[in-house]
């Protein structure tokens, strides 16, 4: 009972989703005072909903118990097989000992009876012979006595002529006569002992003949089965079963001598030929074992152990002559083909009760892992070599590309991939990845899907590091890139080339790699056609592991995006070494010459608007069909510049605590610059909530700094309409579209526009 409770407590652990709940639910069953009838009775008062919950709970327990049982069987199966074999051998030894003891007992009884008769005749008084019946010496031997004398000679003839069936029948007849004679005393003790000795000797001789015949390579299938069956009938089943398995081993081992693999031979052909020999021999052995010995556990266990040993030897040969060279060279397809061939033959044994595929997969796994790692390394090195000469110009791929000796063309699975533009190194990366995923069956069956995804992510991450190195200003950060080494990458000098870097990474991470990785899903093999008509994001939602993997791909692209935005922000703020376009003096020094000011956004924000406008045009062409990524890129670049301003402590120290305070004109210009950012970001549809919040915080800090001088900031700031008109005019002029100004409002007179309305609007804006 304690063992059962312990098993139940272990069975709840493998529950995947609610393991802790199942563990708690099993507490009631662990008690020594658990009453099954009372427990069932308590559950009978449940309503329909509670009954459904209980059914679901019990099903989870059943699944957990089945999983624990499966794990326990796999963990202890070898020990079970070994123990069964030892028990079978022990039974055979006990049978031999019993036969030997029976023979010895018969001999001892015979000797004792002989000594007793001799002693009686010696001690008989003289003249007593006259009392012995006269027919004792003169009577004829009975038929049974004559038969017992002639029977050994008959057995010798049958054994010499190898008439096995007749010999077996004769031995059975002899055993029957011996048993009857013991009851009826029809034979003297001496004749009975002699007959038993003769039967035992001939039985052992017949067993030796049968064993010798079974070991002969020339013994055919029917002859082998007859010999093994006869040996089993003789009572030596364990020896017979072992001889049967050895005979099949010797036969296929002899046939294997014709296979002579060489360094130039095709690994798949060698694997196929060897698989045919080995697994056919195992299948024949299983058939003969079942036909002769049935499903007795001892013989079945020995068969499983023998078959496992043959599979291990087979796997060693395949790894030595086929897999090792393919794995070392990164030939994942060649290694996968060998594994698939072997698994195909091995799976046929399952119909005979031999599930050897897990053993085979365990043996092949290291070689496939080696091929996987080498193949991923080859993808990384090949892409790096091409990136060194990449011109970073987006082009459509060729309609067909020959890769690894096989023609890859636009098919149902990758038609969409050929509708996008990439640079040459990204095309190579994508094509090699697509080719990599062509044969994923062994990876799935070996549970290497997670390792494959991790390796592919590392390769993609290394490619992103190379793209970051291609940015002109990223050379000082090269030491931070893991695995970048001393790889040379051609710089992307123009904005168009730099945006092409982002196009490479984003398209690979968002669409091409996830679509290829869908082949690693077990469901994709049967539902691939249905999945093709779905959006990539919808398909990914069904696989949590791949969703997490895709999130990591996107985070790697974000590193490239952050580096891109940071460098362009620095180029705007520090166009020349030692000179900055974003200082507090540009606002503080504006007071005193307010009449000469042409109200227009500061140079930094003019250049930011111009850069964003150019990038928006280029991104619209490069990210066709993926406008969201282009919008997020422009949003990130704008936020990077504004966050720099928000976090520039030296700027705010000069504004808030500098020797000269921020004046009214400086506040108006600063407010105009911030409103300009809000205006063009809103018009370009890349105004984020975070950007809007940071701009409001910056305006509030500037207003607070101005208020610290004792002046009312709302008395000098015009209404928002004036700022909006100035911002719109600036965007039109910077875009090359001059705007005609009507006479209703003078844009160069902000102080004339201050009113109660502007005060309320500015206050509400600052408070938001």
């Amino acid at each position: 009972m304690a063992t059962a409770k312990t098993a139940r407590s272990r069975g709840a652990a493998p529950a995947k989703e609610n393991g802790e709940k199942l563990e708690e639910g099993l507490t009631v069953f662990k008690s020594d005072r658990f009453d099954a009838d009372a427990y069932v009775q308590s559950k009978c008062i449940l309503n329909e909903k509670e009954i459904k919950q209980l059914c679901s709970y019990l099903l989870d327990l059943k699944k957990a118990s089945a999983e624990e049982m499966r794990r326990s069987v796999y963990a202890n199966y070898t020990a079970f097989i070994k123990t069964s074999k030892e028990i079978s051998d022990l039974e055979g030894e006990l049978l031999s000992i019993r036969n030997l003891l029976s023979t010895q007992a018969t001999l001892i009884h015979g000797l004792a009876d002989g000594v007793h008769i001799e002693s009686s005749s010696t001690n008989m008084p003289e003249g007593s012979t006259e009392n012995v019946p006269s027919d004792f010496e003169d009577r004829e031997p009975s038929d049974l006595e004559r038969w017992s004398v002639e029977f050994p000679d008959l057995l010798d003839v049958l054994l010499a002529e190898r008439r096995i069936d007749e010999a077996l029948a004769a031995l059975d007849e002899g055993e029957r006569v011996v048993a009857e004679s013991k009851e009826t005393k029809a034979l003297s003790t001496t004749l009975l002992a002699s007959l038993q000795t003769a039967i035992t000797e001939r039985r052992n001789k017949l067993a030796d003949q049968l064993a010798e015949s079974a070991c002969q390579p020339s013994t055919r299938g029917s002859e082998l089965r007859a010999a093994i069956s006869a040996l089993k009938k003789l009572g030596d089943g364990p020896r017979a079963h072992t001889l049967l398995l050895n005979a099949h081993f010797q036969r296929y081992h002899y046939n294997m001598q014709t296979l002579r693999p060489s360094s130039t031979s095709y690994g798949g052909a060698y694997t196929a030929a060897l698989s045919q020999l080995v697994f056919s021999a195992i299948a024949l052995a299983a058939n003969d074992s079942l036909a002769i010995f049935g499903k007795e556990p001892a013989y079945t266990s020995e068969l499983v152990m023998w078959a496992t040993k043959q599979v291990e030897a087979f796997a060693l040969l395949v790894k030595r002559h086929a897999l090792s060279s393919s794995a070392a060279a990164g030939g994942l397809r060649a290694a996968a083909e060998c594994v698939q061939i072997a698994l195909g033959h091995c799976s046929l044994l399952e119909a005979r009760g031999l599930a050897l595929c897990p053993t085979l997969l365990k043996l092949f796994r290291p070689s496939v892992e080696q091929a996987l790692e080498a193949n991923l390394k080859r993808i990384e090195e090949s892409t790096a070599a091409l990136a060194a000469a990449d011109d970073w110009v987006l082009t459509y791929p060729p309609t067909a590309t020959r890769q690894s000796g096989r023609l890859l063309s636009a098919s149902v699975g990758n038609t969409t991939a050929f509708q996008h533009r990439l640079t040459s190194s990204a095309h190579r990366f994508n094509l090699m990845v697509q080719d990599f995923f062509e044969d994923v069956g062994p990876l799935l069956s070996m549970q290497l899907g997670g390792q494959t995804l991790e390796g592919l992510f590392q390769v993609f991450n290394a490619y992103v590091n190379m793209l970051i190195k291609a940015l002109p200003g990223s050379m000082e950060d090269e030491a931070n890139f893991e695995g970048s080494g001393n790889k040379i990458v051609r710089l992307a000098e123009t904005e168009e080339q730099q945006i092409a870097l982002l196009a490479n990474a984003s398209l690979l991470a968002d669409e091409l790699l996830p679509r290829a990785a869908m082949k690693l899903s077990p469901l994709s093999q049967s539902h691939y056609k249905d999945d093709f008509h779905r959006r990539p994001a919808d398909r990914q939602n069904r696989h949590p592991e791949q969703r997490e993997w895709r999130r990591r791909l996107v985070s790697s692209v974000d590193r490239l995006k952050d580096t891109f935005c940071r460098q362009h922000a620095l180029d705007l703020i520090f166009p020349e070494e030692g000179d900055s376009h974003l200082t507090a003096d540009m606002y503080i020094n504006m007071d005193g010459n307010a009449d000469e000011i042409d109200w227009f956004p500061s140079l930094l924000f003019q250049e930011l608007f111009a850069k964003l406008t150019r990038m928006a045009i280029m991104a619209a062409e490069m990210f066709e069909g993926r406008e969201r990524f282009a919008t997020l890129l422009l949003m990130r670049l704008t936020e990077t510049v504004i966050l720099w301003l928000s976090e520039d402590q030296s700027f705010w120290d000069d504004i808030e605590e500098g020797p000269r305070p921020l004046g009214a004109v400086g506040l108006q210009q600063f407010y105009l610059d911030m409103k300009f950012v809000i205006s063009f970001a809103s018009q370009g549809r890349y105004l984020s909530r975070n950007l809007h919040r940071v701009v409001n915080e910056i305006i509030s800090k500037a207003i607070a700094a101005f208020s610290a001088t004792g002046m009312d900031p709302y008395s000098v700031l015009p209404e928002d309409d004036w700022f909006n008109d100035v911002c719109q005019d600036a965007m039109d002029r910077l875009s090359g579209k001059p705007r005609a100004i009507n006479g209703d409002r003078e844009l160069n007179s902000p102080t004339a526009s201050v009113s109660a309305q502007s005060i309320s609007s500015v206050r509400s804006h600052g408070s938001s």
Side-chain angles (χ1 to χ4, degrees), residues 171-411:
L171 288 172
D172 292 340
E173 178 67 15
E175 294 286 353
R176 184 184 62 78
V177 170
V178 169
E180 293 178 353
S181 298
K182 287 181 179 180
E183 295 178 358
T184 61
K185 306 296 183 179
L187 290 177
S188 65
T189 305
T190 304
L191 286 177
L192 185 61
S194 176
L195 179 60
Q196 286 182 322
T197 302
I199 291 175
T200 301
E201 291 177 353
R202 272 63 175 185
R203 181 182 294 276
N204 293 335
K205 184 177 180 180
L206 177 59
D208 292 339
Q209 284 185 359
L210 293 174
E212 181 181 359
S213 175
C215 294
Q216 295 296 326
S218 59
T219 303
R220 297 182 179 181
S222 58
E223 297 176 356
L224 174 64
R225 287 189 292 272
I228 296 300
S229 179
L231 189 58
K232 178 177 179 293
K233 292 179 181 179
L234 289 175
D236 201 355
R239 181 187 182 189
H241 195 260
T242 302
L243 288 173
L244 173 66
L245 299 180
N246 289 338
H248 282 286
F249 169 76
Q250 294 294 337
R251 182 177 302 175
Y252 91 77
H253 192 266
Y254 175 79
N255 294 332
M256 281 174 52
Q257 296 178 3
T258 59
L259 295 178
R260 301 183 181 277
S262 63
S263 58
T264 58
S265 63
Y266 173 50
Y270 173 77
T271 304
L274 186 62
S275 299
Q276 180 68 27
L277 285 176
V278 174
F279 292 107
S280 295
I282 295 176
L284 289 175
N287 291 338
D288 290 346
S289 176
L290 181 63
I292 299 174
F293 298 92
K295 296 183 179 180
E296 296 185 28
Y299 302 127
T300 303
S301 300
E302 184 181 11
L303 173 64
V304 172
M305 291 185 62
W306 177 81
T308 302
K309 183 178 179 180
Q310 308 314 312
V311 168
E312 292 174 352
F314 162 77
L316 182 62
L317 289 175
V318 172
K319 288 194 292 185
R320 180 185 303 167
H321 299 297
L323 283 182
S324 59
S325 57
S326 300
L332 183 61
R333 176 171 293 112
E337 184 176 359
C338 292
V339 174
Q340 288 284 43
I341 291 173
L343 289 177
H345 286 88
C346 186
S347 62
L348 298 177
L349 297 177
E350 295 181 359
R352 296 172 172 83
L354 295 175
L356 301 176
C357 287
T359 301
L360 195 61
L361 289 174
K362 181 180 179 181
L363 296 171
F364 283 152
R365 184 184 179 101
S367 297
V368 177
E369 286 180 343
Q370 182 183 4
L372 173 64
E373 294 174 1
N375 203 69
L376 292 172
K377 188 68 175 178
R378 181 170 58 87
I379 295 176
E380 179 180 349
E381 293 176 351
S382 178
T383 307
L386 199 58
D390 200 332
D391 57 3
W392 307 119
V393 175
L394 298 179
T395 59
Y396 287 103
T399 57
T401 303
R402 184 169 297 276
Q403 177 73 13
S404 302
R406 185 168 66 179
L407 189 65
L408 296 179
S409 60
S411 60

Side-chain angles (χ1 to χ4, degrees), residues 630-632 634-635 678-688:
T631 300
L632 293 176
L634 300 177
M635 187 184 299
I678 294 293
S679 296
F680 68 68
S682 177
Q683 187 175 21
R685 296 184 179 180
Y686 46 87
L687 175 61
S688 65

